[in-house]
Amino acid sequence: MSGLSSYDLVCLGVGKGATSVYSNQTSSSFALLRRATDECILLIDIGLGSIFALQKYVKDFNIKPRQIFVSHNHTDHSGELPVYIANEALKSIVRVYCYAGIQSRLRQYRCAELDSSTTDLFRNVQWITCDESKDVELDSGDPNSILKIRVQRSQHSELCAGFVLYENNQAILSFSGDSGFNTPFYTFLWNAPTILVDGRETSTYEHASFDEILNFYKTSSISRQVFVYHYGLENDKPKFPIDNVSAVSPGQTIQLMLSL
């Protein structure tokens, strides 16, 4: 590692698919903030409760992310996207980054309700699709901080992708989206010093177990800071026997490091 990046990460929620609906706790989502200004540069997933949580934890009810990354078309990851577009696209550009193939699913299914509007709500929506063939630049708002994401498809029932985020060609963060344990995909995530990974008590094709995450960390020769999310209710927060592997909590702020 080689010092701090320009960014902090705030956890907005750790909920599973039904957590927000039945327990009023925010779906799994995160906000990338520029440390010097607290501006939200990237909203990572936009499931149920995420916009209110963003306002709550950043303490600014006028805050708007420069762009959004949507991992896949499940309600707990993209449920608030049509509402956000309906409210914000009339005022300014809304940039949505997603894996190739996901954009059409979001547009056709998730945002179908917007087609009934008498106003063209998609005129100011920019869909930026990504795939494994190249890195895609984000709008950082700072010419001295060049942000790029490199995506990779995860292992999930719905088409889904995670990413590694780079500042000035140095990895600072990886995000799994929803994914079962998959060695090549986890090796990809391990390129970043700080890792956000989907975890559950029990292993399934769609979600890695806590034990699988822990065992991969133990077999890796590279030290990383791993934060587990998507475990559900805040009271269900798991504990791990290794300091560098922990469950993240809503409202928690993480300083992102640079890695060569």
Side-chain angles (χ1 to χ4, degrees), residues 33-77:
L33 306 182
R34 180 181 293 112
R35 187 175 301 111
T37 62
D38 275 344
E39 180 183 6
C40 182
I41 303 302
L42 178 67
L43 179 61
I44 303 172
D45 273 343
I46 185 167
L48 302 180
S50 57
I51 295 299
F52 185 81
L54 176 65
Q55 297 170 334
K56 172 184 175 181
Y57 291 124
V58 181
K59 297 179 175 61
D60 182 354
F61 276 80
N62 295 312
I63 195 166
K64 178 190 172 187
R66 280 185 173 264
Q67 53 249 310
I68 302 165
F69 178 87
V70 181
S71 63
H72 63 297
N73 184 36
H74 276 170
T75 301
D76 55 326
H77 296 267

Side-chain angles (χ1 to χ4, degrees), residues 2 39 113 117-118 127 147 162 171 185:
S2 56
E39 180 183 6
E113 65 190 73
S117 173
T118 56
W127 300 96
L147 288 177
F185 184 61

Side-chain angles (χ1 to χ4, degrees), residues 73-123:
N73 184 36
H74 276 170
T75 301
D76 55 326
H77 296 267
S78 60
E80 290 189 345
L81 182 62
V83 178
Y84 184 79
I85 289 174
N87 279 272
E88 299 297 337
L90 295 178
K91 297 178 284 187
S92 59
I93 297 294
V94 173
R95 296 181 181 89
V96 182
Y97 289 74
C98 56
Y99 187 71
I102 293 176
Q103 183 266 341
S104 61
R105 299 182 67 76
L106 293 172
R107 175 63 182 85
Q108 182 179 357
Y109 302 115
R110 180 62 54 192
C111 295
E113 65 190 73
L114 301 182
D115 290 326
S116 61
S117 173
T118 56
T119 303
D120 181 7
L121 295 171
F122 293 102
R123 182 180 59 186

Side-chain angles (χ1 to χ4, degrees), residues 18-42:
T19 304
S20 180
V21 175
Y22 285 93
S23 303
N24 196 31
Q25 293 185 16
T26 304
S27 300
S28 291
S29 52
F30 300 87
L32 182 77
L33 306 182
R34 180 181 293 112
R35 187 175 301 111
T37 62
D38 275 344
E39 180 183 6
C40 182
I41 303 302
L42 178 67

Side-chain angles (χ1 to χ4, degrees), residues 10-235:
V10 177
C11 176
L12 305 179
V14 295
K16 299 178 184 179
T19 304
S20 180
V21 175
Y22 285 93
S23 303
N24 196 31
Q25 293 185 16
T26 304
S27 300
S28 291
S29 52
F30 300 87
L32 182 77
L33 306 182
R34 180 181 293 112
R35 187 175 301 111
T37 62
D38 275 344
E39 180 183 6
C40 182
I41 303 302
L42 178 67
L43 179 61
I44 303 172
D45 273 343
I46 185 167
L48 302 180
S50 57
I51 295 299
F52 185 81
L54 176 65
Q55 297 170 334
K56 172 184 175 181
Y57 291 124
V58 181
K59 297 179 175 61
D60 182 354
F61 276 80
N62 295 312
I63 195 166
K64 178 190 172 187
R66 280 185 173 264
Q67 53 249 310
I68 302 165
F69 178 87
V70 181
S71 63
H72 63 297
N73 184 36
H74 276 170
T75 301
D76 55 326
H77 296 267
S78 60
E80 290 189 345
L81 182 62
V83 178
Y84 184 79
I85 289 174
N87 279 272
E88 299 297 337
L90 295 178
K91 297 178 284 187
S92 59
I93 297 294
V94 173
R95 296 181 181 89
V96 182
Y97 289 74
C98 56
Y99 187 71
I102 293 176
Q103 183 266 341
S104 61
R105 299 182 67 76
L106 293 172
R107 175 63 182 85
Q108 182 179 357
Y109 302 115
R110 180 62 54 192
C111 295
E113 65 190 73
L114 301 182
D115 290 326
S116 61
S117 173
T118 56
T119 303
D120 181 7
L121 295 171
F122 293 102
R123 182 180 59 186
N124 284 336
V125 178
Q126 293 182 352
W127 300 96
I128 300 98
T129 57
C130 318
D131 60 31
E132 290 90 347
S133 66
K134 64 178 180 179
D135 298 347
V136 176
E137 187 167 342
L138 304 180
D139 175 18
S140 73
D142 180 358
N144 296 313
S145 175
I146 306 302
L147 288 177
K148 294 181 179 181
I149 57 170
R150 181 176 302 166
V151 299
Q152 186 162 314
R153 183 173 178 173
S154 66
Q155 178 180 297
H156 200 56
S157 57
E158 175 74 11
L159 180 61
C160 182
F163 65 75
V164 176
L165 176 67
Y166 296 83
E167 180 185 13
N168 298 330
N169 296 317
Q170 292 181 278
I172 62 173
L173 175 70
S174 65
F175 169 71
S176 70
D178 279 8
S179 184
F181 179 76
N182 178 295
T183 298
F185 184 61
Y186 268 60
T187 301
F188 165 77
L189 297 174
W190 245 248
N191 282 298
T194 302
I195 300 166
L196 300 173
V197 63
D198 162 38
R200 301 288 179 89
E201 180 69 33
T202 303
S203 173
T204 64
Y205 176 83
E206 298 181 312
H207 304 283
S209 70
F210 303 145
D211 286 342
E212 287 172 325
I213 296 166
L214 189 61
N215 290 337
F216 187 84
Y217 181 90
K218 290 177 178 178
T219 59
S220 173
S221 60
I222 306 172
S223 178
R224 294 293 188 240
Q225 194 71 42
V226 180
F227 294 96
V228 179
Y229 70 96
H230 214 235
Y231 52 84
L233 295 173
E234 295 173 33
N235 289 341

